Amino acid sequence: MVKNREQRIRLGALKVRYRQAWKRKASSCELSALLSDIEKLEHGQSDADAGNATQPANGLGNLNPDY
């Protein structure tokens, strides 16, 4: 459950990024990373809980540094 205004804004931004990635036919890895981040926010799990960096260095790359 999204708890505060900042999380709602972040969730909205992630959903927009997911739609844009889908339209430009992004890799399944990138789509999966975006979807994982969306689900984490929807279920109230923070980035610290996930142990995951979610911001790409150039704004276009994969969100998960493990890829």
Side-chain angles (χ1 to χ4, degrees):
M1 174 60 80
V2 177
K3 296 179 183 177
N4 62 34
R5 183 175 185 266
E6 183 178 325
Q7 287 178 322
R8 287 193 306 271
I9 292 168
R10 181 173 161 81
L11 180 60
L14 280 170
K15 287 181 177 182
V16 167
R17 287 175 55 199
Y18 182 87
R19 282 191 299 270
Q20 290 171 339
W22 178 268
K23 286 179 182 179
R24 66 176 163 80
K25 297 182 171 119
S27 71
S28 60
C29 292
E30 184 177 351
L31 292 172
S32 176
L34 283 164
L35 192 56
S36 293
D37 287 345
I38 289 168
E39 289 174 346
K40 287 173 198 164
L41 270 179
E42 286 177 337
H43 298 324
Q45 187 178 16
S46 70
D47 289 338
D49 294 338
N52 228 351
T54 58
Q55 295 299 320
N58 62 5
L60 300 174
N62 290 323
L63 297 176
N64 189 331
D66 297 333
Y67 289 102

